[in-house]
Every structure is written in C-alpha cells, then in structure tokens.
Amino acid sequence: MRIKSFWQQEEFIVRISGDRQPFAVYRILGSLIFATLADLLIRHSGLRAGAIAAGGTYAVYNVCDVQFGVSEMHVAKDTITFKRTLAGLNRSRTFPRSEVEKLGYLKGSDKEYPAIGIMIRSLIMPFHFAKGISYEEAKQLFATIGTSNSWLKTKTLDIDHPLF
C-alpha cells in the first residue's frame, strides 16, 4: 500500500492507496464467470448460478476495494472524517472529536482483511479504515501519527495493543 500524510489548511490528512494489482482482480473475475457458466450449463440451475454470480460480485468488489480504493482520514480541530473512494464512488463518515475513544490496528482473520480500527462511542463495533494494510505499514502510519501535532496521537494505541 502507498501511505502519504500531510497537513492541508489546519487538517492532518492520511491518504492510503491500494497496491493496484489488476491480475488479482482478473483471476477472481475469471473464476466467477467460469463457476457461474459451469453451474448454469452443467446443472441447469439458474437460481444457483445467480447466487454464485451475486456472491462472486461481492467478492470482486471487496478485492477491488482493497486493490484500487483510496482511504483518507482528515483530522480537523473538532472532527475526524473518513473518506473512501473507489472508481469515482465516494463514501464518507464524520465523527466529532468527543466521540473518538481510541485508534488501533486490527490484525484481520480468514474472513476479514487487516485494517485500522477506530472506536467511536456511538458505534458498537470499531469503524474500519484502510482495509488490507499490513502490520509494517500500520506501524509506519502509527509512527507518523505519533509525530504529528494532531489530537489523534493521544488516542492512538501501541501497534501490538489489541483494540478491544
């Protein structure tokens, strides 16, 4: 992943871009098309083929999100905003500073990509940011946040400390 941090008009911004490996997406997309056609032609089950296509489309979206997505974290004086961009589609979430409890690294599992998590008082689970970030990249990011003059450095946990 490519990590860049900078200050812009009194906001500390962290931008994380994916690895951009298109062949990984092509392999998954090819497998999806093959599995859907095989099920449709061999078993003659349109419902099952549709379910494979729907589930595979979600898997392709997740891989594209990690590979090509851009995550941004804007730390302003009184708010923190998370922006996620993928192929021109934008999502953003803004939380007041008073709602932020802690920022930590989520190691991931078989079902989830590793990510940066932030605990927000009004949310029950941590808000995930920077899906697919490795341990070393997260360590570098936490060091960058630690040397910044933003209020977020007081909320950042040690990289090896579990978020919850």
Side-chain angles (χ1 to χ4, degrees), residues 83-104:
K83 295 180 181 179
R84 186 76 180 152
T85 304
L86 176 63
L89 301 173
N90 299 319
R91 297 176 292 178
S92 68
R93 272 313 270 275
T94 301
F95 302 103
R97 179 179 177 174
S98 61
E99 289 285 310
V100 176
E101 288 187 14
K102 53 190 170 182
L103 177 79

Side-chain angles (χ1 to χ4, degrees), residues 32 49-62:
L32 167 67
I52 291 171
T57 302
Y58 181 70
V60 168
Y61 169 77
N62 278 331

